Amino acid sequence: MREAEVFIAKKKYHRALQLLRKWDSRAKHLNIEKNINYLKAISFDKIKNDDSTLYYCKRIGNSRSREKSAEIFEIITNLYYDKKQLDSAAKYSKLTTKEIKFTAKSTEEIGKTLHLHEIQKIEQQKNKIVFENKNALNLVYTCFAFAMLLFMILIN
């Protein structure tokens, strides 16, 4: 399957489809049917086979990946727009926008979580340094007090 992805990246869509057809019989057993349909939809879209593109896009259904869902909805939107079926194009355009907004919101939340985690790590490091500095300062005070005590004993 990775080989097919490489062929798609190299824009050799017919070769990718040949490889993907070999995986059809094993797809359900390996639980990769959606991935194969996704790659087929991309390949058929690039070679302008609209009927097959639409067929495989609709077979994917809701993908686990929001980015893939948004990409599939965008492909369907463009197909319907090219066919002048504007109601369907508008429907899938809204779905594309919804997926993109959800992805952006999720990314923002992840960023905030990572930022808070970094702040917590910095606070822990700061507290560790302050504790070490306090211990060092206490050691200096103890040494100074001991030196003063020795000085007092030697003077008397």
Side-chain angles (χ1 to χ4, degrees):
M1 209 165 80
R2 294 207 188 276
E3 230 179 320
E5 291 173 348
V6 170
F7 281 120
I8 290 171
K10 290 182 176 181
K11 300 181 181 188
K12 296 182 179 182
Y13 306 111
H14 292 287
R15 182 69 181 123
L17 286 168
Q18 287 175 346
L19 287 173
L20 292 169
R21 285 186 187 111
K22 291 179 184 178
W23 283 93
D24 277 342
S25 61
R26 295 176 268 169
K28 280 189 178 180
H29 301 296
L30 297 174
N31 211 16
I32 56 171
E33 191 172 18
K34 284 187 179 186
N35 289 341
I36 288 178
N37 289 336
Y38 170 76
L39 294 173
K40 283 183 177 182
I42 298 297
S43 297
F44 280 121
D45 180 51
K46 298 299 182 184
I47 60 175
K48 303 295 182 201
N49 187 333
D50 295 344
D51 293 334
S52 295
T53 301
L54 194 57
Y55 173 77
Y56 285 107
C57 283
K58 289 189 174 185
R59 281 193 65 184
I60 293 169
N62 288 333
S63 176
R64 289 184 196 140
S65 167
R66 294 280 181 169
E67 290 86 9
K68 283 185 180 179
S69 292
E71 187 175 0
I72 292 300
F73 290 147
E74 183 179 4
I75 289 170
I76 295 171
T77 300
N78 291 336
L79 287 174
Y80 281 129
Y81 182 78
D82 291 343
K83 291 181 178 185
K84 306 281 190 248
Q85 295 177 2
L86 301 181
D87 290 340
S88 297
K91 172 187 168 187
Y92 283 100
S93 179
K94 288 177 185 175
L95 290 172
T96 303
T97 305
K98 179 182 169 186
E99 293 296 319
I100 291 171
K101 284 181 181 177
F102 184 83
T103 302
K105 184 179 175 186
S106 296
T107 304
E108 184 180 319
E109 289 172 1
I110 290 169
K112 285 179 183 177
T113 304
L114 289 175
H115 181 69
L116 289 174
H117 179 70
E118 289 297 318
I119 289 173
Q120 288 173 345
K121 283 175 61 177
I122 291 168
E123 284 290 325
Q124 288 173 347
Q125 286 292 328
K126 181 190 82 163
N127 291 339
K128 182 180 174 186
I129 291 169
V130 167
F131 180 74
E132 289 171 354
N133 286 343
K134 263 187 180 175
N135 287 342
L137 189 59
N138 286 341
L139 182 64
V140 169
Y141 286 148
T142 305
C143 290
F144 183 72
F146 184 70
M148 289 299 289
L149 181 65
L150 282 176
F151 182 71
M152 296 293 276
I153 293 174
L154 290 175
I155 293 179
N156 289 335

